[in-house]
Amino acid sequence: MKFILILLSIVTSVTACAAQRDYAFPNNINTAEHYVFYSHGFIVEGDDPTPIHPRWGVYDFPSIQKALDDDSYTLIAHHRPKGVSPIDYAKRLAGEVQQLITLGVPPENITLTGFSRGGAITILAANELKNAKVNVVILAGCAGLINRKRDIQLYGRVLSIYETSDDVGSCNLLEARSPMLREFKEIAISTGKEHGAFYRPIDEWLVPLKRWINDSVSKPEINKNE
């Protein structure tokens, strides 16, 4: 009986630790590792990791974190506080990327990705870094501030994924004004789920995103002007 109670205690502790995992910036950096930053959409800002939109349903941030988690890289996926400035947060994100690079992580082993406002933050962070080797994946993030501010550009190796039934569409305008891009690819998915297509981890966007991440380590440099 005592053994069973000890076993249950261990299982409970392990489960609690798994549930508390927050995908924070790691304390110990392995310079041979690949690092992926995921920035969630606006609706998740605050205390609730699974908020409900009246049209698109639950934004399941924990499930997205779990789906993006992979043995081939370290996932960093912060839960942003309510009311945070996208510009200020992008500077924080760029600072964390720069910290990795300063410690010796090759920039081509770093990927920034985000959805909606998180996609805009990803773009702003890439513009802040201006590093032609960092990888970027934008999920329905080219709208509003990004399209209006002509000085914002993309750098590095970039994948854009957008949903055809969504009001937030292609990143072609941003791509056209970004001469320092090494590579740009865009994928249109058609789920009929509008902006909510990215609220949960579905294969339509998750598979190409993870393929892009895993290809990046061995991807040769490509100059857009070649």
Side-chain angles (χ1 to χ4, degrees):
M1 184 67 178
K2 184 177 180 180
F3 172 77
I4 294 174
L5 290 174
I6 293 172
L7 183 61
L8 285 173
S9 177
I10 293 171
V11 170
T12 301
S13 298
V14 170
T15 303
C17 288
Q20 292 170 5
R21 185 171 182 185
D22 59 2
Y23 297 98
F25 191 85
N27 292 322
N28 299 311
I29 302 301
N30 178 355
T31 57
E33 182 69 43
H34 193 109
Y35 293 87
V36 175
F37 294 81
Y38 171 79
S39 297
H40 59 69
F42 171 73
I43 192 174
V44 186
E45 291 183 359
D47 298 324
D48 187 359
T50 55
I52 300 174
H53 189 278
R55 183 178 180 90
W56 301 315
V58 176
Y59 191 126
D60 197 341
F61 183 41
S63 289
I64 291 173
Q65 289 174 312
K66 184 177 179 180
L68 285 174
D69 201 351
D70 197 286
D71 290 340
S72 65
Y73 55 78
T74 295
L75 177 65
I76 302 164
H78 302 299
H79 190 171
R80 298 191 304 275
K82 187 175 182 179
V84 67
S85 161
I87 294 174
D88 290 344
Y89 202 86
K91 290 179 179 179
R92 170 189 167 175
L93 185 58
E96 290 187 347
V97 173
Q98 190 57 55
Q99 184 178 343
L100 292 178
I101 294 171
T102 300
L103 290 171
V105 178
E108 57 268 30
N109 282 12
I110 301 171
T111 298
L112 291 168
T113 184
F115 161 64
S116 194
R117 175 168 289 192
I121 289 172
T122 294
I123 294 166
L124 291 168
N127 184 69
E128 183 80 14
L129 286 161
K130 294 178 172 53
N131 191 306
K133 293 185 177 181
V134 172
N135 304 283
V136 176
V137 184
I138 306 162
L139 306 173
C142 289
L145 171 70
I146 299 302
N147 286 335
R148 288 195 306 270
K149 287 184 67 64
R150 304 290 299 175
D151 57 324
I152 297 173
Q153 297 183 14
L154 284 170
Y155 296 79
R157 178 172 173 263
V158 178
L159 171 66
S160 166
I161 306 176
Y162 71 95
E163 161 65 39
T164 57
S165 63
D166 187 9
D167 290 338
V168 181
S170 172
C171 288
N172 56 355
L173 293 177
L174 182 58
E175 185 253 347
R177 66 174 192 248
S178 301
M180 297 304 293
L181 278 169
R182 285 173 50 221
E183 181 179 358
F184 180 86
K185 180 179 180 180
E186 189 160 68
I187 297 172
I189 62 174
S190 298
T191 67
K193 298 179 184 294
E194 302 174 338
H195 211 51
F198 300 93
Y199 269 37
R200 289 167 289 281
I202 60 174
D203 286 347
E204 283 84 350
W205 64 264
L206 186 64
V207 170
L209 186 155
K210 294 191 78 169
R211 185 183 299 123
W212 188 262
I213 292 168
N214 290 320
D215 283 351
S216 64
V217 176
S218 58
K219 190 77 173 179
E221 289 194 24
I222 296 176
N223 189 312
K224 182 183 175 183
N225 297 317
E226 287 180 351

